[in-house]
Structure formats: structure tokens, C-alpha cells
Amino acid sequence: MRIRHVLFLLASALLALPAAAAPAAYPAKPVKIIVPFPAGSGTDAGARVLGQWLSAKTGQPVIVDNRPGASGFIAAQAAALAVPDGHTLLLTTNTTHAANPAMFKKLPYDPVKDFEPVSTVGSAGLLLLVPAASPHQDIGSFLAQLRAGGKRLHFGAGNSSSRIAGELLKNAVGADLLAVPYKGTPHALTDLMGGQIDFMFCDIGPALPLVMSGKLRALATSSAERELLLRDVPTLTEAGLKGFEMTVWSAAFVPAKTPKDTVAKLSELLRAALADPAVRQEFSNIGGRSRGSTPDELRAFVKSEMAKWAAAVKTAGIQPE
């Protein structure tokens, strides 16, 4: 009887305990995607495609928050300091998470320690662009002028990738070139159309409409192969610059200490989005290739890319600021 009495008391005590709260569904509130570049950039376009898909899939609003400037410092730092609950993402590129550590002596964020990798998003080549009024109709003519010397040419740099590509070209042909930094790619494109700068390297998304409408001329691409949307534009390797290949990429991160199950759920959602034929077509329309990954795959990728871009910065002769 004593044993039965004790068991009864234990059962009563357990029933009296408050029930554990069921884990909230993710996402449980609106999601913010911070982008280090202005509206109209390729990364911004990709963020909006993914945002629409995520909102339709989860029923939660997705807000794209553009925070351009300072080589991505502003956006990266804001994302790193956000609440680590998976409702704030940083959709960024190799600029903040691979090139910047080699281009700056000190960063206000740590691309490894301050973030949890979620998934790769996409990749694309860069276009070498000149104004429509440029005398150069092809890449051969342009490279011939660079090698001949004479007038110093100015090139726009809306991000680290375009800056490094320009400096690599400078060293490859021994040209006298000067980089003109911009807050973002759209601003550089505006000045290029107006003739304030002579050329620039630009991701395909924001440049494509301007090339197709005749406002700018694409002379070459930095990709290993010709771009599907611009089959008549040769690669720089085809133009005689052997080994000149540069591919830019984008990926999603969340603040460090975000719960692992939340990171896993978000990664699963992003990979599902990037595998959706409609999303893949949207990326193709802006000159990109969608590509998802697991968090561990992205972590390893970032590590290898940091070494790769550090080597490119060194080859380009860029001194850390």
C-alpha cells in the first residue's frame, strides 16, 4: 500500500507540472534579408527572388533590407549583431566573406566567427563593359589600346570583385589604369553610361538590360565559358589572357549562435527554393546560376575561397587598406 501511495503522489506531482511549450514553427515572424548592395544590384535581385518564394512557402512576409557602402561592412556588421533566431539573414557575396579579409587590415566583423553558414545561393561571371560611345567594338581593340599605353583609363569598382578584376587586368597587360570606387554597382553603371569612367567589370544581372538595349557594350566575360545569355561575347581567356578567370558567388548566412535546428530548417528551405525550376529560371534571366548547399559545405567553401581571393588580391598588387 505504501508503494502504491508513493506512486500515486509522484503521478499527481507530474501532472501538476506545467506542460512544456511546443517548439514554435519556423519562421514564426517576418524574415529580413540584409543585402550589402543597393537595389538593382545582382545580389539584390537574387534576394527578391528568394524572398518571394520563401514568403509564398511559409506564409511570412520577407523584407529585403539594402545596406550598401563601405565594401559591405555596414550590412555584415548589422547582420552579425542581429538576434540569432534565424529571422535575419545576410545574403552576401565573396566581397564580404572572401575578398575583404585580404583587402583590409581590420574588419568590423569576422566572416567566420560572427556567422553561421546556411547555403550557397548562386554564381556568375563578370562582364567587361564600355560605354556605347566607346570606339572599341571588340575586346581585341580594347586590349590593344591598353597595351599601347598613352592616356590613363579609369575603371569603376562597385564591389571588391570588380576592383580585383580591374587590377588583375592592369597587371596582365601592363596598363595604366586607375580604380574609381563606388558605393554600389548601379552607381558605377550610371557613370559608365555617361562616360565619366572608361570601363568596368560588372556582374551580369544589372548589366544585362543595359547591354541588350545598346546603352553599354559587353566586350568580354571573366567566366571560363561564354555566358548563355550573351553567346557572342568571348571570354577573356579566348581573347588571349590565359588563366584570367573570375567567378563571383552569393551565399546566405545568419548570426553566430543561431540554433542548429533553425539553421538546418532555413538551409532546407533555401535549397528547396534554389531547386525549384521557376527560381532557377529567374536566376538564369539575370545571368546567374542557382546553387544550394548544406551549411557544412558552405563552411568548407568559404574557407577555400578566402585562400583563393587572398591569392588574387596579392597577384593584383592591391595593398590592404
Side-chain angles (χ1 to χ4, degrees):
M1 293 294 292
R2 286 184 179 179
I3 294 176
R4 293 174 64 182
H5 183 66
V6 170
L7 291 175
F8 174 79
L9 291 175
L10 286 173
S12 299
L14 289 172
L15 289 172
L17 291 174
Y26 174 84
K29 60 182 180 180
V31 174
K32 180 189 293 185
I33 302 178
I34 297 178
V35 176
F37 309 108
S41 63
T43 311
D44 170 75
R48 294 181 189 280
V49 170
L50 288 178
Q52 289 178 359
W53 189 96
L54 289 171
S55 182
K57 186 72 173 179
T58 65
Q60 290 288 352
V62 177
I63 303 160
V64 176
D65 182 6
N66 300 92
R67 301 200 185 191
S71 294
F73 287 9
I74 298 171
Q77 191 172 26
L81 295 174
V83 177
D85 61 1
H87 291 88
T88 299
L89 288 72
L90 175 67
L91 183 57
T92 187
T93 68
N94 43 273
T95 288
T96 61
H97 277 61
N100 278 357
M103 294 188 67
F104 297 92
K105 295 177 181 178
K106 187 176 181 180
L107 299 177
Y109 66 94
D110 188 309
V112 176
K113 295 180 180 178
D114 289 343
F115 298 92
E116 292 291 340
V118 178
S119 173
T120 54
V121 170
S123 62
L126 299 172
L127 293 177
L128 196 167
L129 305 170
V130 294
S134 169
H136 304 293
Q137 298 295 320
D138 56 57
I139 187 61
S141 168
F142 181 74
L143 293 178
Q145 179 189 350
L146 294 187
R147 292 188 173 107
K151 175 189 173 184
R152 167 182 277 186
L153 298 186
H154 296 74
F155 69 92
N159 51 50
S160 295
S161 301
S162 55
R163 167 73 188 283
I164 293 171
E167 298 291 355
L168 286 173
L169 179 64
K170 173 182 177 179
N171 288 349
V173 299
D176 184 14
L177 306 177
L178 181 66
V180 180
Y182 284 87
K183 192 174 183 179
T185 293
H187 304 86
L189 287 170
T190 298
D191 276 5
L192 182 63
M193 287 187 288
Q196 280 78 34
I197 52 177
D198 299 295
F199 75 97
M200 69 176 288
F201 281 92
C202 179
D203 43 319
I204 298 174
L208 188 61
L210 302 175
V211 172
M212 301 301 284
S213 64
K215 295 179 180 179
L216 292 175
R217 185 176 302 130
L219 299 183
T221 174
S222 69
S223 303
E225 300 177 352
R226 295 194 181 198
E227 299 294 341
L228 292 176
L229 298 178
L230 296 166
R231 298 300 294 175
D232 59 335
V233 177
T235 67
L236 284 167
T237 297
E238 289 176 312
L241 298 182
K242 301 298 181 183
F244 196 111
E245 179 186 337
M246 180 174 287
T247 300
V248 296
W249 51 265
S250 58
F253 300 83
V254 289
K257 298 183 180 179
T258 299
K260 291 187 180 298
D261 58 342
T262 300
V263 174
K265 177 61 176 178
L266 180 54
S267 180
E268 181 183 335
L269 282 169
L270 287 181
R271 281 180 279 144
L274 295 165
D276 187 313
V279 171
R280 295 177 70 87
Q281 185 59 53
E282 289 281 359
F283 270 77
S284 179
N285 291 343
I286 58 175
R289 294 173 287 274
S290 60
R291 180 171 65 98
S293 75
T294 66
D296 285 342
E297 288 170 340
L298 176 54
R299 182 178 287 104
F301 178 71
V302 168
K303 183 178 180 179
S304 65
E305 285 291 295
M306 288 177 72
K308 171 184 171 182
W309 284 87
V313 168
K314 184 176 181 180
T315 300
I318 300 173
Q319 296 300 315
E321 297 177 17

